[in-house]
């Protein structure tokens, strides 16, 4: 259908064009936020640890004595070339931090999202379909309680039960030290790397370390999805086209799955995407609980060290991810829902 | 019109009530009528008189909390009380429905082809894909939708075209009975004329029995063989369209016709008062509080159906039967005029 | 008269006849049994915590930072639950039960303050922006959308961090950080609602008879919009408790010397899990789960009751009386 892909392309361009002002605002906000703290990042991070002359030199080098506008423009320019700066405290290129630790977060996030979608979609659909029955009450209660449990609390309980008392799973890190040392990292996604290099032992080890954090995080997010899917399904089941389908004798199962559920998923896609973006930019709590070396952990570490350059870089990256993923979501939406393109 | 053969749709003493806290809402309260094959019966009445409920109940499409009682026969058996499973087999195949708002009646994520495929696969699973396609295009062609648009999505069609697609969907399985619930109310006048032409052609081309539900008397005059006038859950008059329009037997029908605005209208005429609360309808004849010709017997007893020479059946004490009216019952009814506060 | 369940209702807008919160009450009475039960349970749990918060000094056996008895004997470190310490003690030698009770005081204080602040800013901004439109509206929407897009926890962390340099690490800082995160949400919801109400015929009618914008907003728009606020506020409060706990867990929350905070306690408890010490983390966590569940039940229940689109009215089973035997009977 030529018409379909053409309108999709046109939609894509429009969306990209609209994303740019939002991006600019986000970047400006981040920039201003980081300049609210008095003084400059260099002094804040290293003040007292280095002689004043050295501090001054570094400050001039980083450009902190220039007028604000110039700093702003330089900042924008850097972002455009993906130069997020160098951390103050350990002299790493922020881009390296993003790639290495970001991959760890990505692995965790992907696994968690899979679990979240499976639990959320099934329980939510069952709840919506069998509304007000015990299935519904059970599903809703589960969703509410699971969401009410902070991920670090579930993590605590999981570590207690499955780590200490049952001894089934390890409770911290991405992999045991041996594996971490030995594994050839190509993509920085350990599971993928273990698979490509045919390292079965490493694969199992990494998987064992991934199970608890991913499940804990996945369940909590799944709790959110349950509510969402349920409400949307109930709403679509009241739709006019659903009644019309019933009037044509379509079986209840088809009515629910093919008409109501599919239509109910449309708004859910947006939320799933947004959650994904949120998680990518730092599943901080899970990472802290399980000592997962992700980007959220790094953010906390740099924040504690007052390394504002690193913090700025990471937060900028987070913002970029969110904008990019929103764009992606809109495109996916346009792809599944033909009405959106017009 | 009325033939000696068995009617395609036969309804006897149908009651459809909604359960609410307090008294149930008696949306349809003892309705009987027949529709012969190839005949179009118009069902008219004000909003809230129960006509939509009646239409839906014929295919058992009752909303939550509603229950039906009585006889609805087509295809040889009573539909009231059938299981959902049996009803599903009937819907679409033996009885079809055309709804009011075409804009929202098609699944926005499915193409027209998908809609037809679903309906055909549900009822005739043995058909090949080619055969399904042929049947669908046939039905659409009859409605003036070209085959090139078969794969398009609903939002790419105008309101009128969507209604035509809905009609084609309702007819693709050749049901013997079709219910059209206000099919043109949401459409503009020009499109309305097109749809009406299609509906009137139904009796010629498909021999379908059509129940046309509407509040628009003009449509009835144009498209219907017979008309049934509904008030407060009951049918008060039922006869050949031409006769009912020319010589309405029931005061309500008379008032309805008088309130139609045409080029000849000199003064606006509305029926005073408001339709009754169906949880607690007036005693006896339900129209008596608003009837200009009410008699003493009217609030006392519910009128029996009486056959009038014009060929209509009417429920009104004005037409008797005289032997059932107690002495003094024909005196005009004394009552206070409906106050402004009584109006809706 | 209306046919239950047949009339499609426009979600959430009603003519000014049923003013603001009064409609909440009448909708409540009509509602389905399950939804009502949910609201009561949620309200009960929330009320219990509020009482706990208010009467903390009276109910709790010790203060939140007491580490020894009146005679000066220090508590055991990480002692298992016992008669003196029903929830045990933690690594700081303080009583877990007392910390849980005082923790509810902290939570309620912070969240209530944050709620007031975000409503005080978000609600009027949304009202004005939605009603007047124009460049002000467009600008605000752009900014608020960008803020909402930002991961809320990261945002809260950064704000808390920045504010702590100036205001210290107390209840106020935490409350402000949290409120800033939620202002855009209130803004957006209120604004969208105002826009849909603005187009309703009864508002147009009010304008047509010459009512000034202030009156229109106050009488018609505000009353309508306010009906949505209880649900959103409750659900946001639930979220705020989680955000507060998260801040505490990461160490950006309230200074442990200033008040007890559940998230912080769990942070200290994580290392206990490896040693099999369960009481230091279990009870604070349970408190969080209970309070958030209570608030969520309250919010969701209210939503079920108030939202006409998914609301379900009570139905009674229909019983048909036998038909009148003869013609002409009443």
């Amino acid at each position: 259908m030529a018409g379909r892909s053409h309108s999709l392309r046109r939609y894509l361009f429009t969306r990209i064009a609209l994303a740019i002002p939002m991006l600019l605002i986000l970047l400006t906000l981040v920039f201003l936020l980081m300049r609210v703290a008095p003084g400059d990042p260099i002094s804040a991070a290293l003040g007292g640890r280095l002689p004043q002359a050295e501090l001054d030199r570094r400050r001039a080098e980083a450009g902190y004595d220039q007028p604000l506008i110039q700093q702003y423009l330089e900042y924008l320019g850097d972002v455009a070339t993906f130069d997020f700066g160098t951390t103050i405290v350990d002299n790493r290129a922020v881009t390296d931090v993003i790639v290495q630790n970001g991959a760890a977060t990505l692995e965790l996030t992907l696994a968690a999202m899979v679990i979240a979608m499976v639990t959320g979609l099934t329980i939510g659909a069952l709840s919506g379909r069998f509304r007000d029955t015990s299935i519904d009450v059970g599903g809703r209660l589960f969703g509410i309680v699971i969401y009410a449990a902070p991920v670090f609390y579930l993590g605590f309980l999981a570590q207690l039960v499955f780590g200490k008392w049952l001894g089934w799973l390890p409770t911290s890190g991405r992999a045991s030290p041996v594996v971490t040392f030995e594994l050839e990292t190509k993509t920085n996604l350990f599971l993928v790397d273990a698979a490509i290099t045919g390292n079965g032992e490493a694969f199992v080890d990494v998987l064992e370390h991934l199970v608890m954090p991913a499940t804990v995080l996945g369940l909590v997010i799944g709790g959110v999805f349950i509510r969402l899917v349920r409400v949307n399904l109930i709403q679509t089941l009241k739709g006019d086209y659903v009644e019309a389908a019933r009037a044509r004798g379509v079986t209840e199962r088809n009515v629910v799955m093919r008409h109501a559920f599919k239509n109910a998923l449309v708004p859910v896609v947006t939320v799933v995407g947004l959650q994904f973006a949120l998680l990518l930019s730092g599943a901080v709590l899970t990472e802290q609980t399980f000592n997962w070396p992700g980007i959220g952990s790094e953010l906390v570490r740099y924040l504690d060290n007052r390394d504002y350059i690193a913090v700025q870089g990471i937060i900028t990256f987070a913002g970029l991810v969110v904008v990019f993923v929103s764009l992606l979501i809109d495109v996916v939406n346009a792809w599944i829902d033909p009405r959106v393109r017009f | 019109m009325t033939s000696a053969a068995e009617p395609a749709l036969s309804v006897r003493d149908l009651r459809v009530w909604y359960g609410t806290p307090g008294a149930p809402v008696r949306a349809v309260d003892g309705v009987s009528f027949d529709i012969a094959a190839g005949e179009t019966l118009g069902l008219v009445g004000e909003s809230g008189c129960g006509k939509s409920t009646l239409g839906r109940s014929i295919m058992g499409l009752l909303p939550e909390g509603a229950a039906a009682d009585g006889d609805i026969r087509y295809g040889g058996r009573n539909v009231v009380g059938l299981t959902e499973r049996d009803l599903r087999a009937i819907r679409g195949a033996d009885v079809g429905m055309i709804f009011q708002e075409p804009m929202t009646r098609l699944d926005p994520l499915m193409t027209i082809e998908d809609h037809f495929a679903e309906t055909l696969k549900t009822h005739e699973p043995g058909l090949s894909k080619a055969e399904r396609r042929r049947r669908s295009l046939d039905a659409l062609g009859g409605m003036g939708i070209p085959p090139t648009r078969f794969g398009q999505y609903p939002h790419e069609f105008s309101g009128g075209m969507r209604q035509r697609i809905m009609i084609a969907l309702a007819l693709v399985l050749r049901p013997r009975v079709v219910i059209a619930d206000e099919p043109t109310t949401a459409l503009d006048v020009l499109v309305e004329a097109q749809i009406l032409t299609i509906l009137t052609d139904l009796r010629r081309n498909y021999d379908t029995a059509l129940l046309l539900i509407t509040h628009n008397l003009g449509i009835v005059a144009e498209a219907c063989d017979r008309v049934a006038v509904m008030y407060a859950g009951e049918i008060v008059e039922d006869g050949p369209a031409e006769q009912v329009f020319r010589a309405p037997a029931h005061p309500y029908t008379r008032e309805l016709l008088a309130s139609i605005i045409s080029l000849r209208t000199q003064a606006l005429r509305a029926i005073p008062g408001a339709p009754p609360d169906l949880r607690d309808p007036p005693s006896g004849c339900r129209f008596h509080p608003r009837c200009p010709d009410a008699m003493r017997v009217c609030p006392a007893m519910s009128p029996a159906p009486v056959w009038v020479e014009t060929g209509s059946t009417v429920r009104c004490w004005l037409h008797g039967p005289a032997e059932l009216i107690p002495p003094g019952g024909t005196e005009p009814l004394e009552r206070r005029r409906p106050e402004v506060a009584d109006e809706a | 008269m209306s046919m239950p369940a047949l009339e499609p209702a426009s979600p959430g807008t009603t003519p000014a006849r049923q003013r603001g919160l009064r409609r909440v009450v009448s909708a409540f009475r009509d509602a389905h049994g399950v939804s009502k039960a949910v609201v009561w349970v949620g309200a009960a749990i929330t009320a219990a915590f509020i009482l706990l918060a208010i009467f903390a000094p009276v109910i709790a056996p010790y203060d939140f930072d007491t580490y020894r008895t009146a005679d000066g004997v220090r508590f055991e470190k990480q002692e298992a639950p016992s008669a003196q310490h029903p929830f045990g003690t933690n690594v700081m030698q303080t009583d877990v039960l007392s910390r849980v009770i005082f923790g509810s005081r902290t939570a309620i204080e912070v969240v209530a303050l944050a709620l007031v602040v975000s409503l005080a800013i978000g609600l009027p901004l949304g009202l004005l922006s939605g009603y007047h439109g124009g460049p002000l509206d467009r600008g605000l929407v752009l900014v608020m959308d960008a803020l909402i897009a930002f991961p809320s926890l990261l945002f809260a962390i950064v704000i808390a961090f920045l504010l702590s340099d100036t205001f210290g690490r107390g209840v106020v800082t935490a409350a402000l950080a949290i409120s800033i995160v939620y202002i855009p949400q209130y803004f957006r919801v209120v604004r969208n609602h105002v826009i849909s109400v603005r187009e309703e015929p009864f508002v147009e009618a009010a304008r047509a008879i010459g009512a000034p914008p202030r009156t229109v907003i106050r009488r018609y728009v505000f009353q309508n919009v306010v009906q949505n606020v209880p649900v959103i506020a409750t659900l946001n409060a639930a979220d705020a408790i989680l955000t507060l706990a998260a801040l505490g867990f990461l160490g950006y929350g309230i200074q442990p010397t200033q008040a007890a905070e559940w998230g912080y306690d769990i942070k200290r408890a994580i290392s206990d899990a490896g040693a099999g010490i369960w009481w230091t983390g279990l009870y604070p966590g349970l408190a969080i789960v209970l309070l958030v569940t209570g608030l969520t039940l309250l919010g969701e229940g209210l939503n079920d009751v108030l939202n006409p689109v998914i609301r379900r009215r009570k139905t009674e089973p229909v019983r048909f009386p036998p038909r009148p035997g003869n013609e002409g009977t009443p």
Side-chain angles (χ1 to χ4, degrees):
Chain A
M1 298 205 72
R4 185 171 161 163
S5 51
H6 173 71
S7 63
L8 198 57
R9 226 177 308 142
R10 194 164 19 116
Y11 183 75
L12 186 62
F13 286 149
T14 336
R15 270 307 281 115
I16 293 180
L18 284 176
I20 296 182
M22 152 123 17
L23 198 57
L24 267 172
I25 294 187
L26 209 66
L27 291 174
T28 314
L29 282 172
V30 172
F31 178 82
L32 289 174
L33 212 58
M34 298 279 67
R35 301 269 174 317
V36 162
D40 64 271
I42 308 273
S43 314
L46 301 171
R49 285 195 245 163
L50 292 175
Q52 188 60 34
E54 178 62 18
L55 284 177
D56 288 339
R57 186 189 73 78
R58 289 204 190 188
R59 206 169 59 220
E61 203 182 293
Y64 283 107
D65 45 3
Q66 286 169 323
L68 213 60
I69 292 291
Q70 202 157 350
Q71 287 187 43
Y72 179 60
L73 292 172
E74 259 187 49
Y75 167 65
L76 288 182
D78 287 340
V79 171
T81 55
F82 290 109
D83 172 16
F84 293 104
T86 318
T87 72
I88 308 176
V89 292
D90 52 5
N91 226 1
R92 276 168 85 190
V94 177
T95 334
D96 280 345
V97 175
I98 291 173
V99 166
Q100 286 159 10
N101 299 93
T105 306
L106 182 63
E107 200 169 35
L108 174 63
T109 304
L110 281 174
M113 283 307 273
V114 166
I115 295 180
M117 298 229 284
V118 166
T119 38
L121 291 183
T122 30
I123 301 184
L126 286 172
S127 270
R129 164 76 179 86
F130 297 109
R131 183 189 178 172
D132 282 349
T133 60
S134 45
I135 298 180
D136 183 21
V137 174
R140 289 180 79 184
L141 212 54
F142 175 76
I144 290 177
V145 173
I146 261 270
Y147 178 71
V151 70
F152 47 87
Y153 181 54
L154 283 181
F156 165 79
L157 292 175
Q159 287 180 10
L160 197 62
V161 174
F162 297 104
K164 175 81 178 117
W165 288 342
L166 291 173
W168 288 350
L169 295 166
T171 61
S172 89
R174 269 180 99 181
S176 17
V178 176
V179 171
T180 318
F181 186 65
E182 287 184 344
L183 188 63
E184 264 182 74
T185 49
K186 300 209 176 146
T187 62
N188 269 302
L189 298 170
F190 285 7
L191 268 185
V192 174
D193 288 335
I196 325 179
T197 57
N199 193 339
E201 218 177 85
F203 190 83
V204 171
D205 183 61
V206 171
L207 198 60
E208 277 181 348
H209 279 84
L210 186 59
V211 168
M212 254 206 291
T215 310
V216 160
L217 186 57
L219 282 180
V220 171
I221 310 273
V224 175
F225 290 164
I226 291 178
R227 186 193 301 181
L228 192 65
V229 171
R230 177 184 176 274
V231 166
N232 277 309
L233 187 62
I234 289 178
Q235 207 136 321
T236 48
L237 276 176
K238 290 190 159 207
D240 284 345
Y241 53 85
V242 167
E243 189 185 20
R246 287 204 182 107
R248 292 194 298 272
V250 177
T251 62
E252 194 61 18
R253 188 166 159 271
N254 277 338
V255 160
V256 173
M257 293 304 299
R258 232 193 274 139
H259 291 277
F261 192 59
K262 261 208 285 181
N263 274 278
L265 280 186
V266 172
V268 175
V269 163
T270 309
V271 177
V272 168
L274 282 178
Q275 273 297 342
F276 188 69
L278 289 181
L279 287 184
L280 264 190
S281 29
V284 185
L285 299 171
T286 319
E287 291 173 9
Q288 289 288 84
T289 314
F290 290 96
N291 266 331
W292 193 268
I295 209 163
S297 286
E298 292 296 281
L299 176 68
V300 168
R301 190 166 70 84
Y302 286 122
L303 203 54
D304 283 342
N305 281 303
R306 301 282 193 285
D307 190 337
Y308 288 135
I309 295 186
V311 169
Q312 176 180 280
I314 295 179
I315 298 191
T316 308
F317 172 68
L320 284 176
V321 165
V322 171
V323 172
F324 175 70
V325 173
S326 317
L327 193 66
L328 207 65
I329 295 170
D330 281 347
V331 171
V332 170
N333 257 330
W335 180 63
I336 18 175
D337 186 350
R339 292 169 291 182
V340 175
R341 302 173 217 155
F342 285 79
Chain B
M1 243 191 4
T2 43
S3 58
E6 206 180 290
L9 169 66
S10 172
V11 174
R12 289 282 173 276
D13 223 1
L14 177 65
R15 291 190 283 183
V16 181
W17 292 10
Y18 293 92
T20 58
V25 174
R26 294 144 72 156
V28 179
D29 209 7
V31 158
S32 308
F33 61 86
D34 288 338
I35 312 185
E39 183 180 43
T40 303
L41 173 68
L43 182 64
V44 294
E46 290 167 291
S47 309
C49 70
K51 12 185 241 298
S52 269
T53 310
L54 175 53
R56 278 172 170 72
S57 64
I58 295 188
M59 49 158 69
L61 263 187
L62 294 173
E64 215 187 299
D69 176 63
D71 239 64
I72 302 178
R73 274 176 202 280
Y74 47 89
R77 53 183 175 162
N78 186 3
V79 167
V80 174
L82 280 188
T83 61
E84 263 301 299
R85 231 175 118 221
D86 291 332
L87 281 172
R88 254 175 281 167
I90 293 180
R91 290 180 195 142
D94 294 341
V95 58
M97 183 128 181
I98 302 166
F99 291 90
Q100 178 173 351
E101 332 75 353
M103 299 303 277
T104 49
R105 291 292 176 176
L106 293 167
D107 188 332
L109 300 182
M110 284 171 57
T111 61
I112 308 304
E113 176 169 6
D114 295 332
H115 281 90
F116 275 92
E118 178 187 49
T119 309
L120 287 167
K121 270 195 249 186
T122 310
H123 292 277
E124 298 190 34
L127 285 182
S128 71
K129 183 165 174 194
E131 182 61 25
R132 275 203 302 266
R133 192 188 157 86
R134 193 187 67 75
R135 294 264 297 261
S136 316
L137 290 178
D138 230 12
L140 284 172
M143 298 294 142
I145 310 276
T148 48
R149 305 194 68 176
F150 194 41
Q152 288 186 331
Y153 288 93
H155 68 272
E156 303 183 63
F157 294 88
S158 69
M161 298 191 87
R162 282 190 230 190
Q163 190 62 302
R164 282 190 260 162
I165 295 173
M166 295 294 322
I167 298 176
L169 263 177
L171 294 176
V172 71
L173 292 166
R174 304 290 172 86
R176 301 193 310 151
V177 176
V178 170
I179 307 158
D181 185 4
E182 311 254 16
T184 58
T185 305
L187 303 169
D188 66 61
V189 178
L190 290 174
V191 178
E192 180 177 69
Q194 292 171 352
I195 301 292
L196 280 180
T197 315
I198 294 177
L199 288 179
T200 46
D201 284 347
L202 277 187
R203 51 183 130 151
R204 265 191 291 269
N205 299 341
Y206 297 103
D207 217 26
T208 342
L210 175 65
L211 175 65
L212 179 52
I213 302 174
T214 176
H215 60 267
N216 184 330
L217 293 163
I219 293 182
V220 173
E222 266 195 58
C224 301
D225 302 311
R226 284 173 41 235
V227 60
V229 180
M230 195 163 174
Y231 183 80
E234 295 176 326
I235 291 188
V236 296
E237 182 167 357
D238 169 6
E242 214 185 301
Q243 295 297 352
V244 170
F245 275 80
R246 193 146 23 104
H250 196 282
Y252 178 59
T253 318
R254 208 183 57 220
E255 295 298 311
L256 266 186
L257 288 166
S259 62
I260 295 178
I261 300 175
S262 74
L263 288 174
R264 270 181 265 128
T265 305
Q266 309 260 342
L268 290 179
R269 242 182 103 161
I271 312 178
D277 181 354
L278 292 178
R279 272 180 284 216
D280 186 20
S283 58
C285 168
R286 295 186 179 182
F287 187 57
H288 82 256
R290 303 166 79 188
C291 181
D293 303 329
M295 305 186 291
R296 293 258 288 271
V297 62
C298 300
M301 302 197 296
S302 216
V306 169
W307 194 82
V308 181
E309 314 78 56
T310 51
S312 318
T313 311
V314 65
R315 300 178 109 175
C316 177
W317 287 119
L318 285 173
H319 297 271
E323 54 281 12
L324 289 179
I325 304 181
T330 49
E331 300 296 308
L333 182 66
E334 295 284 327
R335 54 153 175 224
R336 62 181 172 81
R337 310 176 102 268
E339 290 164 9
V340 177
D342 286 352
E343 314 244 351
Chain C
M1 107 233 88
S2 60
M3 302 274 200
L6 274 189
E7 304 270 16
S10 67
T13 63
T14 52
R17 228 181 291 141
Q18 283 198 295
R19 290 301 178 79
L21 297 171
R22 221 179 301 157
R23 184 170 161 272
V24 175
V25 176
S26 66
F28 192 72
R29 250 186 308 217
D30 268 348
H32 206 229
V34 173
S35 312
K36 270 207 245 190
V38 166
V39 173
W40 282 124
V41 170
I45 298 179
T46 312
F49 273 94
I50 295 182
L51 283 175
L52 223 60
I54 298 177
F55 296 109
V58 176
I59 302 180
Y62 308 99
D63 206 349
F64 68 88
D65 53 1
T66 316
Y67 57 92
R68 55 185 171 193
T69 63
D71 317 322
V73 178
R74 291 179 93 96
F75 293 157
E76 284 281 328
K77 189 152 87 145
Q78 291 160 315
E79 179 188 321
S82 62
Q84 282 160 311
H85 302 282
F87 285 1
T89 61
N90 65 14
V91 70
M92 305 277 292
Q93 297 171 294
T94 49
D95 178 49
V96 175
L97 174 60
S98 308
R99 284 191 71 83
V100 168
I101 295 177
F102 273 97
S104 47
R105 169 172 272 204
T106 314
I108 302 283
E109 274 176 1
V110 170
V111 169
L113 185 57
L115 198 71
V116 166
V117 171
S118 12
L119 268 180
I121 302 182
L123 188 66
L125 271 185
L127 267 178
L128 289 172
S129 184
Y131 190 74
H132 289 293
L136 165 74
D137 178 43
R138 277 196 289 267
L140 272 177
V141 167
L142 223 47
V143 170
M144 294 293 182
D145 270 355
L147 287 178
I148 289 186
F150 213 77
S152 58
L153 186 57
L154 284 186
F155 199 23
I157 292 176
V158 173
I159 304 263
F161 208 76
L162 293 172
L163 285 178
S164 64
D165 282 342
T166 338
F167 291 110
R169 295 261 219 92
V171 169
V172 175
T173 313
L176 281 179
I178 291 176
S179 65
I180 294 186
V181 168
Y182 289 111
I183 288 176
Q185 294 195 21
Y186 283 111
F187 170 83
R188 178 196 262 183
V189 166
V190 168
R191 175 188 172 270
N192 287 346
H193 201 73
V194 167
I195 288 183
S196 59
V197 168
R198 191 179 67 183
E199 305 306 322
E200 290 279 327
F202 63 86
V203 173
E204 223 181 294
R207 285 210 292 255
I209 61 172
R214 208 181 326 129
T215 316
V216 177
I217 295 183
R218 194 172 22 103
R219 268 243 202 108
Y220 302 100
V221 176
F222 179 73
Q223 294 289 354
N224 245 284
V225 165
V226 122
Q227 289 164 16
N228 283 10
V229 170
V231 173
I232 303 165
T234 317
L235 293 175
N236 268 351
D239 221 52
I241 306 247
L242 289 176
T243 310
L244 174 65
L247 282 177
F249 175 76
L250 293 173
Y252 301 120
I254 302 187
Q255 195 87 297
T257 49
Q258 291 208 19
E261 205 274 303
W262 293 325
Y264 178 81
D265 282 356
I266 300 186
K267 170 194 169 90
R268 304 303 298 262
I270 293 275
S271 39
D272 290 348
I277 298 174
W278 51 272
W279 53 92
T280 49
L282 178 77
Y283 293 112
L286 269 182
I288 299 179
V289 173
L290 266 177
L291 180 53
V292 174
T293 303
L295 280 169
T296 311
L297 285 178
L298 183 57
E300 288 251 315
L302 275 179
N303 194 30
D304 264 1
V305 162
L306 292 180
N307 185 343
V309 180
I310 62 173
R311 185 189 351 170
R312 262 185 164 191
R313 287 210 181 73
K314 270 192 291 201
T315 55
E316 308 259 327
V318 178
R319 256 175 298 266
F320 288 105
R323 297 157 188 287
N326 304 313
E327 314 289 15
T329 49

